[in-house]
Amino acid sequence: HSMRARAIEVLEELDRRGPLPAEDRFLLAVLYEAQGDAARSQERLRELAQAPLRNPRYLAQYARGLVGKGRNAAALAEA
């Protein structure tokens, strides 16, 4: 079990107990991406990008993921 996989497990367990703070949800999304799970990463980032306090850091990471998948129009629509 890698350290990354263990970190994901811990964050997921904490999230089941109650909503994670935005920074921890962002970290989880980045960990998913690093593990090769782009779909879960984009799902988390989409949630963060649509939050009332749209943090530019979260939006940028979400857009990078969309552009990386060739979804340029979707990235522009989210901005």
Side-chain angles (χ1 to χ4, degrees):
H1 228 48
S2 73
M3 292 293 286
R4 183 181 303 134
R6 181 68 183 129
I8 289 172
E9 287 177 4
V10 169
L11 286 169
E12 287 175 337
E13 176 60 30
L14 291 171
D15 195 37
R16 281 190 285 278
R17 295 179 185 190
L20 290 173
E23 276 298 310
D24 290 342
R25 288 185 282 151
F26 179 75
L27 175 59
L28 185 55
V30 171
L31 288 168
Y32 284 147
E33 183 71 32
Q35 186 123 335
D37 193 344
R40 289 174 83 183
S41 175
Q42 285 299 296
E43 179 182 330
R44 289 290 180 153
L45 290 168
R46 183 175 35 259
E47 292 168 5
L48 288 167
Q50 293 173 348
L53 300 174
R54 295 169 55 128
N55 183 316
R57 182 173 166 210
Y58 307 153
L59 288 169
Q61 184 72 27
Y62 179 52
R64 268 194 296 276
L66 291 173
V67 169
K69 294 204 162 301
R71 297 183 54 201
N72 298 351
L76 289 172
E78 294 288 338

